[in-house]
Amino acid sequence: MASPAPRTRGTDRHAVPAARSPQGPGSGDGPRFIRAAARAAAPALLGHLAVRLLGLAVLARWAHLKHHGVWTTLATSWDSHWYLGIADHGYDHGLGTRVDHNNLAFFPLYPAVVKAVAAVTPGSRASVGLVVAVLCSSAAAWGIFAVGDRLYGRRAGTVLAVLWGALPVAAVQWMGYTESLFTALAAWSLYCVLTGRWVAAGTLAALAGLTRPTGIAVAAAVVAAALAAVWRGGSVRGPLTGALLAPLGWFGFVAWVGVRLGRWDGYFAVQRLWRNEWDGGADTLRELRTLLVYDRFPALFLVIVSLVLILAGVLFLLCLCDRQPLVLLVFSGVLLLVVLGSGGVYFPRARFLLPGFPLLLPLAVALARARRHVAVLMLGAAALSSAWLGAYMLLVWPGAP
């Protein structure tokens, strides 16, 4: 059975939903509103925390058996090393010719936050980066809950936040990576659009554009929703202000890289050195065909990545059938377009889709409507599989997550 359509004003299901009880920052004045929002989100935040603690426990036990350090694995491995390097030494000054080497491929907000917080707190920058990621994952879970609650009710919002914490590669949420910060900014930006807070939505989208390359998806979603709001009539100033603010972060960093390298396509030249180019999905289709059809013994992690990509496409079709609000559809669609349409490295693409929480809404609504024991069983299975897969990804799979 298809999930119910979002509650909106009038008959346009792409319109901004009617006002509901406060769900987070900006939903009223004074601590009373913040306390009410926190109480409403508490089950979602506790559920998300429980799932991630289970993942951490499994990782710690597995790491102990393999004589690995958990802190090192989470705080300083793979991309974490690049972000810490930017926080310590800044960006490269030239393009160079070495493959997979130029740090201008990494967006600046997360290392800037780590550097700023580390300057006023004890501990190493690696520890600070890990703490920032963990805190941002809770902020993201709150924003995800707020979106789900506003559209489909509190139970669906809670399930949505728990599902996000139980994704196959959700272990990245508690690593020194940018996914948690980016998801938090994206979720609250989308929520601000749904509640008509256009300046906040545009500002958060601009910050998301300074966090990851896929920040362009948040900007596109805010701009599309703002233009749709103007087209429907009503206030023009707020939506247009949000639309103007939203792309500033992404375009600003891309332009800065171009100026730093002395060429207009400097950022894209850097990406080519990392073997990342948009090819319309040809490379993705080749990889899927090789892994799922021709390879007799494909690596388990690559099979998981392939299944995540396929399921994401199916879920997006369900989102279209459910007629989600325009801002969510544009965000998910552009995110999929960027991730599936890019050539180059294949194995991190499930991680690249981690911020695409609106894709989980059909599953969240279905579980919210199911019998309680069925929902608990399904969420428990998802949490256990996520815990095992996260440990496998970080301790067995030889490449980056």
Side-chain angles (χ1 to χ4, degrees):
M1 180 180 295
S3 57
R7 292 175 285 229
T8 57
R9 296 192 190 102
T11 58
D12 183 1
R13 293 181 183 175
H14 287 169
V16 175
R20 284 170 44 90
S21 59
Q23 301 299 334
S27 298
D29 298 320
R32 181 172 62 88
F33 292 93
I34 297 176
R35 288 196 297 269
R39 283 196 299 270
L45 297 178
L46 291 174
H48 174 265
L49 177 63
V51 171
R52 294 312 329 135
L53 285 175
L54 174 64
L56 181 62
V58 173
L59 175 65
R61 179 57 181 168
W62 202 330
H64 175 73
L65 295 175
K66 292 179 68 69
H67 305 290
H68 281 278
V70 174
W71 180 90
T72 302
T73 301
L74 296 177
T76 63
S77 61
W78 301 108
D79 285 6
S80 303
H81 173 76
W82 286 99
Y83 290 117
L84 292 174
I86 294 170
D88 287 336
H89 309 295
Y91 281 102
D92 293 337
H93 290 276
L95 180 61
T97 58
R98 295 179 62 182
V99 175
D100 298 343
H101 186 74
N102 195 305
N103 67 6
L104 286 165
F106 298 89
F107 278 56
L109 185 60
Y110 175 73
V113 171
V114 170
K115 183 175 182 178
V117 175
V120 295
T121 57
S124 66
R125 284 178 176 168
S127 297
V128 169
L130 190 55
V131 171
V132 167
V134 172
L135 293 177
C136 286
S137 74
S138 293
W142 191 350
I144 290 168
F145 163 78
V147 172
D149 180 21
R150 183 169 187 84
L151 295 177
Y152 297 107
R154 186 169 300 178
R155 188 173 181 183
T158 300
V159 173
L160 182 64
V162 174
L163 276 177
W164 182 71
L167 288 172
V169 296
V172 174
Q173 295 173 14
W174 281 13
M175 292 181 67
Y177 273 52
T178 59
E179 272 71 20
S180 290
L181 174 60
F182 177 75
T183 306
L185 293 169
W188 284 112
S189 178
L190 299 179
Y191 176 77
C192 286
V193 170
L194 294 174
T195 55
R197 295 169 172 85
W198 293 104
V199 174
T203 302
L204 291 168
L207 292 173
L210 289 170
T211 307
R212 289 197 56 78
T214 45
I216 192 65
V218 189
V222 173
V223 170
L227 294 179
V230 172
W231 178 262
R232 289 192 300 269
S235 175
V236 173
R237 181 178 179 181
L240 287 185
T241 302
L244 290 173
L245 288 171
L248 291 182
W250 192 90
F251 282 108
F253 179 70
V254 170
W256 178 82
V257 173
V259 172
R260 191 173 183 86
L261 297 180
R263 50 187 294 180
W264 71 269
D265 65 338
Y267 173 76
F268 303 101
V270 171
Q271 287 294 337
R272 285 193 291 271
L273 287 178
W274 284 85
R275 294 168 289 185
N276 290 326
E277 292 187 81
W278 201 82
D279 63 2
D283 184 69
T284 302
L285 291 175
R286 282 195 299 269
E287 292 284 354
L288 286 171
R289 182 178 59 185
T290 299
L291 288 166
L292 302 181
V293 178
Y294 296 114
D295 195 339
R296 294 182 60 187
F297 303 103
L300 174 61
F301 183 68
L302 295 181
V303 172
I304 294 169
V305 170
S306 301
L307 294 177
V308 167
L309 298 184
I310 294 171
L311 181 60
V314 173
L315 288 174
F316 182 67
L317 294 178
L318 292 178
C319 293
L320 288 172
C321 293
D322 287 344
R323 299 176 66 186
Q324 286 183 3
L326 178 65
V327 66
L328 301 186
L329 291 176
V330 172
F331 171 66
S332 299
V334 175
L335 182 66
L336 284 170
L337 190 66
V338 172
V339 175
L340 300 182
S342 298
V345 289
Y346 183 77
F347 52 82
R349 298 192 193 189
R351 171 169 62 87
F352 294 164
L353 288 178
L354 189 65
F357 70 91
L359 296 171
L360 299 173
L361 272 169
L363 296 177
V365 172
L367 287 176
R369 298 179 62 186
R371 294 182 181 274
R372 186 176 298 273
H373 71 276
V374 174
V376 170
L377 181 64
M378 296 300 293
L379 290 175
L384 288 171
S385 63
S386 175
W388 187 88
L389 289 169
Y392 178 90
M393 173 181 68
L394 296 177
L395 298 174
V396 179
W397 166 247

